[in-house]
Amino acid sequence: MITRDPRAFVEFARGLAPDFGPACARAAFLVAPDGFALAEQSASDNAYMDLSVAVDPARASAQHRGLQSALAQDLPVVCFPGDPAAPDGLFPNNVFATGPGRLLVGRMRHPVRQREAERPDIRGFFSGLLGYEEIDLRRQPGVCELTGSAVIDRARGLAFAGLGERCDEAGARALHAALGLRGTLLFDLAAGEYHTNVVMSVLAGRALVVAPSGFADRAVADALAEIYAPHVLVLAPAQKAAFAGNCIALRPDRVRMSAAGAAALSAGQRTGLADAGFELAPVPLDEIEKAGGSLRCCVAEIY
């Protein structure tokens, strides 16, 4: 099913067992923020970036190493070197995504990000070392910045694709087909939003973190909450701006979120995560967040 009808999608999703695949990745990879800088092209449609802000490359690198060290407590983590000519390269989940035995290469909107998809080391790691089939979505119509543009429930085989500057319907359909998903819900992001994974996250297939202000139609966010109730954290706009929605569960009992995002949560929301079976494990990333993304954006999952 690929639809824009949230009610039809909820009824479809409710009938699915969480048996599509593992809810959490088996490994992950990062790309170091070598030559950390703000990309002017990306700032043109990323409201979370401010080009007037000074950045500290050494501090960004230190925080990124801290992130790798933290994530290594959850699962195996590989880190590839960065490329100063590709300043957004530290957010590889927009360019690369995986399914069992396959590597997807995304079709990026901005030229400064399109060069990331050419990296022979990352592509060779999957094709040559792991023997994954490469599916290059750049050869197909549409724009889709993969797991930035679409949040995927791996347990049920569902995608939630927010349409905007960086994802259109053709791109979302290509992602759906490449991962062999059961269902994809298409919806419009609110004006000024660039990626779905900033406004929502599905945690290990059993909980939802969602910021209704990030949706053009709040009814879509309300419908999604029905799928994951009672384990739903509804974020206020200020919490979304602190990147509380840009979180990820890389193991079934732990949620990784930036320190700023975690600090923005209320006591009740923290209790809600605990009731859903999750330990909240923050990582300081405020320097990296100046580039308009946060923890989940840095993590490319390996399935």
Side-chain angles (χ1 to χ4, degrees), residues 98 107 135 299:
T98 66
R107 186 169 182 177
I135 302 174
V299 181

Side-chain angles (χ1 to χ4, degrees), residues 105-180:
V105 182
R107 186 169 182 177
M108 309 299 291
R109 180 187 181 212
H110 296 297
V112 71
R113 302 225 58 189
Q114 292 167 6
R115 65 183 61 143
E116 296 172 41
E118 301 295 340
R119 290 192 57 151
D121 55 344
I122 295 176
R123 294 168 69 169
F125 175 81
F126 285 96
S127 62
L129 182 63
L130 299 184
Y132 278 28
E133 174 192 6
E134 182 177 291
I135 302 174
D136 193 339
L137 299 187
R138 296 175 300 171
R139 301 172 183 170
Q140 301 187 37
V143 176
C144 183
E145 300 196 351
L146 301 185
T147 54
S149 293
V151 170
I152 301 174
D153 179 340
R154 300 280 184 159
R156 292 178 177 81
L158 300 175
F160 307 95
L163 306 183
E165 297 285 353
R166 302 196 187 190
C167 182
D168 58 24
E169 183 171 337
R173 287 180 176 275
L175 174 65
H176 176 99
L179 289 178

